[in-house]
Amino acid sequence: MRLGPLLAFLAVVLAAGLLAPPPAGAADGLTLTAPAQYADRDTPLTIAGAPPGAAVVLERFDGTDWQPAGSFVAGEDGTVTTPVRVLRVPARNLVRATAAGATGELRLPLRAIGTTTTLTGPRQVVDERSITLTVVRRTAEGTAVPGPVLLQRIVAGSWSTARTLTLGATGTATTSVTPRSDSTWRVASPAQPWAASSVSARLAVDNLPPGRRVALPEAAPRPRVALPAAPRATGAGANAAIYRIPDRVWRSMVGRSWHRGCPVGRSGLRLLRINYWDYAGYRRRGELVAAASVVRQMAGALADMYRAGLPIRSMYRVDRFGWSKRLQGADDYRSMAAGNTSAFNCRWVVGRPGVRSPHTYGRALDLNTWENPYLSRQGWEPNSWWPSRSHPRAAWRSRSHAVVAIMRARGLRWTYGTSDSQHFDAVPPGGRPVVVPGCADVVCH
């Protein structure tokens, strides 16, 4: 079709009013706008596109259905502006307007307000006791912010969530914790649609020992072999527990503290686990292996030490220290250099190759070995500083010392006195001391 005839056709159509523009104010839909606002405040909602003077109906979605929210009359410009409350839940902020058959919807924009989270509680706690921590979350204007928050603690250098707390309507919660060591805490409050996220300041809590620390002379040497902190105590008191040797423990013993040719086998040995006071004043749980015939005597003596508040530096099974070629058993040199307390060890006497140690029979106990040295043929082991010194709680040089007295009352003889002050031999009730060949008149550690 040529351009001239087309223009003539359009002119006819317009003259007939077939493509006349719509009346002023008519629209296919309404436009709703509103600025972002904090929750629990009004925002000015503008409804545009209605015919001038038309009735405008406003509705709000309540999560299930539409509910009436107001009726208005459009102005000469076809608009209505009205305040509308912004709620905390985004789904409840959906509004709809209707006018002259046209509709429009808007989710009122929700602006998250800043928040602060505080964590308060004691700065110190005695080990095994609990403290109460209090969490408070508020907006910048002081309004309570309920909801979940994360109580976190530093573990291995990183923040780890200990538990999730739910703050009530007052934006507050309390919780009880029982830290078993020095600890650092914080609370992380996740963002909510109406409230910004926030993190509390750190709260450092010092864990204090429930017992007395051992005050050693400043000049006293420290053990040459370092050991990790023993597990914390379990149960009340000494809580001694005696077991047949478990498979896992036996596998560790074989080739270290026990080997073929030892006079005592697995069935004649027992594993003792018992709580004790360490030198820092904390309760720890240690273990040693001893002969079945005397393990209860040793448990009783160690329990008496616990009740008297007498400390033990450490108590690990001696197989922890590995095999010693020169002792043909577990490495007692390293055990003593760590200040370790132990009992059964199928080995030679330290410094006397080929002579069986009384520990081979599981009826000898070496206690606080660093502060109570042994005089071998080669000299003092594990150090030469302590033999001429004593300590009222940790080192004994007299039969009147509290530790020696406790051992004696339980049938553990201080056999060699100050020549091997760490060594005690258990004699079963009605039984006889172990007679070790080659140890009749010499010290046999």
Side-chain angles (χ1 to χ4, degrees), residues 214-222 371 385-386 389-391:
V214 175
L216 296 175
E218 187 175 342
R222 297 298 181 258
E371 288 79 19
W385 192 90
W386 273 104
R389 297 168 174 86
S390 63
H391 188 279

Side-chain angles (χ1 to χ4, degrees), residues 15-92:
L18 297 179
L19 292 181
D28 292 331
L30 303 179
T31 301
L32 281 66
T33 57
Q37 182 57 282
Y38 296 130
D40 305 322
R41 294 185 182 182
D42 291 339
T43 186
L45 171 67
T46 297
I47 305 167
V56 179
V57 176
L58 181 66
E59 299 173 292
R60 187 170 199 147
F61 193 67
D62 66 0
T64 303
D65 203 357
W66 291 99
Q67 302 296 335
S71 298
F72 312 93
V73 176
E76 294 182 358
D77 59 354
T79 66
V80 171
T81 298
T82 183
V84 180
R85 180 57 54 94
V86 178
L87 303 181
R88 299 181 180 185
V89 181
R92 301 298 178 90

Side-chain angles (χ1 to χ4, degrees), residues 79-132:
T79 66
V80 171
T81 298
T82 183
V84 180
R85 180 57 54 94
V86 178
L87 303 181
R88 299 181 180 185
V89 181
R92 301 298 178 90
N93 286 329
L94 185 62
V95 294
R96 179 176 70 183
T98 305
T103 62
E105 292 183 7
L106 173 70
R107 188 181 301 276
L108 300 174
L110 179 59
R111 182 181 177 188
I113 192 170
T115 68
T116 58
T117 301
T118 59
L119 172 65
T120 58
R123 297 284 180 172
Q124 295 179 331
V125 59
V126 174
D127 189 45
E128 299 186 75
R129 296 183 185 177
S130 299
I131 56 174
T132 298

Side-chain angles (χ1 to χ4, degrees), residues 111-391:
R111 182 181 177 188
I113 192 170
T115 68
T116 58
T117 301
T118 59
L119 172 65
T120 58
R123 297 284 180 172
Q124 295 179 331
V125 59
V126 174
D127 189 45
E128 299 186 75
R129 296 183 185 177
S130 299
I131 56 174
T132 298
L133 303 180
T134 300
V135 182
V136 178
R137 188 180 185 191
R138 296 280 186 269
T139 67
E141 298 175 337
T143 303
V145 183
V149 297
L150 306 177
L151 177 64
Q152 298 180 325
R153 178 179 180 175
I154 290 181
V155 177
S158 300
W159 288 106
S160 175
T161 298
R163 64 187 65 165
T164 299
L165 306 176
T166 301
L167 307 184
T170 62
T172 304
T174 60
T175 189
S176 178
V177 297
T178 309
R180 299 301 307 274
S181 60
D182 291 349
S183 54
T184 303
W185 304 82
R186 75 176 186 184
V187 172
S189 298
Q192 298 184 30
W194 71 282
S197 64
S198 57
V199 178
S200 73
R202 299 184 178 196
L203 175 66
V205 180
D206 291 336
N207 183 272
L208 305 179
R212 292 169 54 201
R213 295 179 183 271
V214 175
L216 296 175
E218 187 175 342
R222 297 298 181 258
R224 293 190 301 274
V225 174
L227 290 174
R232 294 293 196 180
T234 60
N239 191 25
I242 298 171
Y243 309 90
R244 292 185 178 276
I245 306 298
D247 290 344
R248 178 186 60 80
V249 173
W250 184 247
R251 286 194 296 270
S252 180
M253 291 172 58
V254 172
R256 296 181 179 89
S257 60
W258 187 92
H259 51 86
R260 292 188 181 277
C262 292
V264 181
R266 181 177 181 178
S267 63
L269 298 171
R270 295 292 184 270
L271 174 67
L272 169 64
R273 291 188 175 124
I274 191 168
N275 297 337
Y276 65 91
W277 297 103
D278 72 7
Y279 280 24
Y282 289 96
R283 295 194 331 130
R284 301 286 180 180
R285 191 154 185 84
E287 59 181 26
L288 54 76
V289 173
S293 60
V294 299
V295 67
R296 294 191 181 279
Q297 286 175 254
M298 291 188 185
L302 294 171
D304 289 344
M305 285 185 62
Y306 177 92
R307 283 186 284 271
L310 295 169
I312 293 174
R313 182 179 280 280
S314 65
M315 192 191 302
Y316 286 100
R317 298 193 322 271
V318 74
D319 52 277
R320 178 187 185 91
F321 299 91
W323 169 260
S324 170
K325 184 177 180 180
R326 59 177 169 170
L327 292 176
Q328 292 297 292
D331 194 342
D332 191 58
Y333 286 102
R334 284 181 56 79
S335 180
M336 286 190 291
N340 190 54
T341 291
S342 66
F344 171 76
N345 187 1
C346 185
R347 60 170 172 81
W348 291 342
V349 171
V350 172
R352 299 187 66 197
V355 179
R356 270 184 177 163
S357 165
H359 289 273
T360 296
Y361 301 90
R363 287 169 55 174
L365 174 68
D366 284 346
L367 183 63
N368 284 355
T369 52
W370 182 256
E371 288 79 19
N372 296 279
Y374 152 64
L375 182 58
S376 73
R377 287 183 172 182
Q378 288 75 38
W380 289 103
E381 296 287 351
N383 66 76
S384 59
W385 192 90
W386 273 104
S388 61
R389 297 168 174 86
S390 63
H391 188 279

Side-chain angles (χ1 to χ4, degrees), residues 6 9 184 209 394 440:
L6 176 59
F9 172 76
T184 303

